[in-house]
Amino acid sequence: MPSIRVGAVNYLNSKPLVEGLTEFAGDLDLSLDLPSRLADQMAAHELEVGLIPVIEFLRAESYSFIPNIGITSHGPVLSVTLFSRVPWKDVRTVSLDEGSRTSAALTRILLEHRHRLTPQYRQLPIDEPAEAVSTDAVLLIGDRAMKACLPGFEFAYDLGHEWNEWTGLPMVFALWAVREGVDLASSEVAFAQAKQLGLRRAGVIATREAAALGLDAGFCRRYLTNIIRYDLGPRELAGLRRYHELAADLGAAPRGTNLVHYHRPHLVESRQR
Amino acid sequence: MPSIRVGAVNYLNSKPLVEGLTEFAGDLDLSLDLPSRLADQMAAHELEVGLIPVIEFLRAESYSFIPNIGITSHGPVLSVTLFSRVPWKDVRTVSLDEGSRTSAALTRILLEHRHRLTPQYRQLPIDEPAEAVSTDAVLLIGDRAMKACLPGFEFAYDLGHEWNEWTGLPMVFALWAVREGVDLASSEVAFAQAKQLGLRRAGVIATREAAALGLDAGFCRRYLTNIIRYDLGPRELAGLRRYHELAADLGAAPRGTNLVHYHRPHLVESRQR
């Protein structure tokens, strides 16, 4: 049986979803990489399945997703923060972390749709310290960003919280995308098994990962257990649909992408697209 | 003019409420101490005002509180965690951190009211490592507890989240209690001014306090800015009233305590009690 190539972002919050994944299904070949590279590898047919940011899922237009598994927040997310020198209403210039297009689009959604602003954007190069930016606000994301304190910025807006407060819905950051026509066969269940194991081993994962990240193990456990949520049910999908509409309005995602659950191709006669 | 003696718990989450407090009102004499000692000092008339845990406020029965200021959470609180080897329904024995009676009562409320359990409790002495307890679950609170990872415990229940999920209401942990008959006069406004300053200086406070706590400054900022909330409005008071009822049902607080806003004694003809 040929192996199924699986890619995931190498972030702390993805660890519980890949815990033991290759042990539950021997034909899965797992690699960890940057979000943008994963999307490219999916497009180039170098991966069959990818734990990818939702904006990449929407942009690809042709992927389905494994049901009930996602990286989401229902309030503060702690790892996606818009640091600002001024309150929302006065933000005129914004630096955007190159790391995630999903959070960059979320920033635009909140600025342009929620607060009806039309600020100027620039990219924050990965090697430029955020403290040094001259813009009113700077978006930081991911593991490195969790450690950012930036006392010089009076405001630190948690975009998971801001999204939830505005829409009343969870924010979905990533999900398991499956390339069109791929048959996971019996390996499909491994993704659910890995998630279940990962959630129960959150303390072990936190202990293991904290030192390499330069973060406190207790904080990592709270982040994985009490902040990030891994279910993808009706509420989360409603949040994802709302995000999709708003991102499409800004031209940050194509309008037509359907959200389709993965089904084994031979089990369904016609797959809705 | 005699000074007004003010006490506050010496926790990270109380720092934004005391930032600059004595500068805004020169007649305030601020001291930081343990929660239980503050309650004793209030009772002994050694303090006029105390930032005290809500259970101490309820137990005293005769205090009013400064309006619109509290230490609350609207979901995960990160610093009040019940680590458990088993899921809620199987918890039979619990060790309770000596630090806070408010969170100990919250633990009992969730176990006995929400989950309809009657577990056995024991005190966790301050010098006993939580990893070593033989009970099914252990409650840890406060700054020290935020660093606890406890990978040997599969479950880490955030009691702020559990409370919010169950009741739909915020959890109030502490407020500014004013002893009966005390006249704060023009100093009253200093408490609101300090809060306002503290919220805007959260990044500065986080940077300053993190090293001493052995916590990451970025995490401290997120905790102060995105997790702990400092307003005490109608929703928070509804949460406090619900907590009061449930704690009283368990005999953990007297039933009759009224929640009364502080008013300058000479400005009101009769104060509702």
Side-chain angles (χ1 to χ4, degrees):
Chain A
M1 188 194 272
S3 69
I4 297 166
R5 294 162 300 183
V6 179
V9 287
N10 194 16
Y11 284 164
L12 175 60
N13 61 26
S14 65
K15 301 292 179 193
L17 295 186
V18 298
E19 186 78 0
L21 184 61
T22 55
E23 288 155 48
F24 287 118
D27 60 337
L28 296 182
D29 175 17
L30 176 69
S31 60
L32 301 176
D33 216 323
L34 298 172
S36 53
R37 289 214 42 188
L38 289 179
D40 293 346
Q41 290 163 1
M42 290 283 284
H45 289 218
E46 292 165 16
L47 290 177
E48 278 73 54
V49 185
L51 182 61
I52 61 172
V54 294
I55 199 99
E56 307 287 2
F57 178 91
L58 296 171
R59 285 180 183 175
E61 301 187 75
S62 63
Y63 301 154
S64 62
F65 64 91
I66 296 178
N68 304 327
I69 310 179
I71 295 178
T72 82
S73 74
H74 289 228
V77 66
L78 304 190
S79 47
V80 182
T81 305
L82 185 73
F83 288 95
S84 184
R85 303 181 199 277
V86 294
W88 278 111
K89 68 177 173 48
D90 298 325
V91 174
R92 295 289 173 274
T93 54
V94 183
S95 299
L96 297 171
D97 191 311
E98 282 186 320
S100 164
R101 297 172 193 155
T102 298
S103 296
L106 177 57
T107 306
R108 287 191 57 200
I109 287 169
L110 291 167
L111 286 162
E112 299 175 39
H113 281 298
R114 185 185 189 189
H115 296 285
R116 311 220 165 261
L117 301 166
T118 50
Q120 301 260 301
Y121 302 99
R122 64 180 284 272
Q123 289 285 317
L124 176 70
I126 202 84
D127 56 351
E128 185 180 330
E131 293 84 348
V133 302
S134 59
T135 48
D136 296 330
V138 55
L139 170 71
L140 294 182
I141 66 130
D143 299 347
R144 191 181 68 93
M146 273 197 282
K147 292 161 58 173
C149 185
L150 273 60
F153 290 76
E154 275 191 15
F155 304 89
Y157 296 114
D158 184 301
L159 298 196
H161 169 74
E162 299 289 322
W163 169 263
N164 182 257
E165 193 176 60
W166 183 43
T167 64
L169 295 168
M171 175 68 201
V172 182
F173 291 96
L175 36 64
W176 281 118
V178 184
R179 207 157 39 71
E180 207 177 6
V182 166
D183 186 355
L184 297 177
S186 62
S187 294
E188 185 190 347
V189 72
F191 293 92
Q193 289 170 319
K195 168 186 161 182
Q196 198 171 25
L197 179 70
L199 294 183
R200 295 184 77 142
R201 299 195 74 204
V204 177
I205 294 169
T207 304
R208 193 177 67 208
E209 304 292 332
L213 293 169
L215 286 165
D216 182 80
F219 170 44
C220 290
R221 176 160 201 183
R222 279 158 182 75
Y223 176 67
L224 295 178
T225 302
N226 306 129
I227 299 294
I228 299 294
R229 293 165 78 164
Y230 295 96
D231 291 337
L232 193 62
R235 292 287 296 164
E236 289 80 10
L237 291 174
L240 178 48
R241 276 192 293 271
R242 185 103 178 91
Y243 174 86
H244 182 196
E245 286 165 15
L246 294 164
D249 275 350
L250 298 176
R255 204 167 284 282
T257 312
N258 285 323
L259 299 178
V260 183
H261 274 194
Y262 166 77
H263 292 290
R264 292 186 60 183
H266 68 279
L267 293 180
V268 282
E269 287 182 37
S270 72
R271 219 166 118 238
Q272 262 203 312
R273 281 282 317 282
Chain B
M1 186 193 274
S3 68
I4 297 166
R5 294 162 298 181
V6 179
V9 288
N10 193 17
Y11 283 165
L12 175 60
N13 62 26
S14 64
K15 301 290 178 195
L17 295 185
V18 298
E19 185 78 1
L21 184 60
T22 53
E23 287 154 48
F24 287 117
D27 60 337
L28 296 182
D29 174 18
L30 176 69
S31 59
L32 300 177
D33 216 323
L34 299 172
S36 54
R37 290 213 41 189
L38 288 179
D40 293 346
Q41 289 162 3
M42 290 282 287
H45 288 216
E46 291 164 17
L47 291 176
E48 277 74 55
V49 185
L51 183 59
I52 62 172
V54 294
I55 200 101
E56 308 287 2
F57 178 91
L58 296 171
R59 286 181 184 174
E61 301 186 76
S62 62
Y63 301 153
S64 61
F65 63 90
I66 296 179
N68 304 328
I69 310 179
I71 294 177
T72 82
S73 74
H74 289 228
V77 67
L78 304 189
S79 48
V80 182
T81 306
L82 185 72
F83 288 95
S84 182
R85 304 180 199 277
V86 295
W88 276 111
K89 67 176 173 50
D90 298 324
V91 174
R92 296 287 172 277
T93 53
V94 183
S95 299
L96 297 171
D97 192 311
E98 283 186 321
S100 164
R101 297 172 194 156
T102 298
S103 296
L106 176 57
T107 306
R108 287 190 58 199
I109 286 169
L110 290 167
L111 286 163
E112 299 175 38
H113 281 298
R114 183 184 190 192
H115 296 285
R116 311 222 164 259
L117 300 166
T118 50
Q120 302 260 301
Y121 301 99
R122 64 181 281 274
Q123 289 284 316
L124 176 70
I126 203 85
D127 56 351
E128 186 180 330
E131 293 83 346
V133 301
S134 59
T135 47
D136 296 330
V138 54
L139 171 71
L140 295 182
I141 67 131
D143 299 347
R144 192 181 66 94
M146 274 198 281
K147 293 163 55 174
C149 185
L150 274 60
F153 290 76
E154 275 191 16
F155 303 89
Y157 295 115
D158 184 301
L159 298 195
H161 169 74
E162 300 289 322
W163 169 265
N164 183 257
E165 193 176 60
W166 182 45
T167 63
L169 295 168
M171 174 69 202
V172 182
F173 290 95
L175 36 63
W176 280 119
V178 184
R179 207 158 38 72
E180 206 177 7
V182 167
D183 186 354
L184 298 177
S186 62
S187 295
E188 185 189 349
V189 73
F191 294 91
Q193 289 171 319
K195 168 186 161 184
Q196 198 171 24
L197 179 69
L199 294 183
R200 296 184 77 142
R201 299 197 73 204
V204 177
I205 294 170
T207 304
R208 194 177 66 207
E209 303 291 333
L213 294 170
L215 286 164
D216 181 81
F219 170 44
C220 290
R221 177 160 200 183
R222 280 160 182 74
Y223 176 67
L224 295 178
T225 302
N226 306 130
I227 299 294
I228 299 294
R229 292 164 79 165
Y230 295 96
D231 290 338
L232 193 63
R235 293 286 296 160
E236 288 80 12
L237 290 173
L240 177 49
R241 277 192 293 270
R242 184 102 179 91
Y243 173 86
H244 183 195
E245 285 166 16
L246 293 164
D249 275 349
L250 298 176
R255 204 168 285 281
T257 312
N258 284 325
L259 300 178
V260 183
H261 275 195
Y262 166 78
H263 292 288
R264 291 185 60 182
H266 67 278
L267 293 179
V268 283
E269 287 184 36
S270 72
R271 221 168 116 235
Q272 262 203 313
R273 278 283 317 281

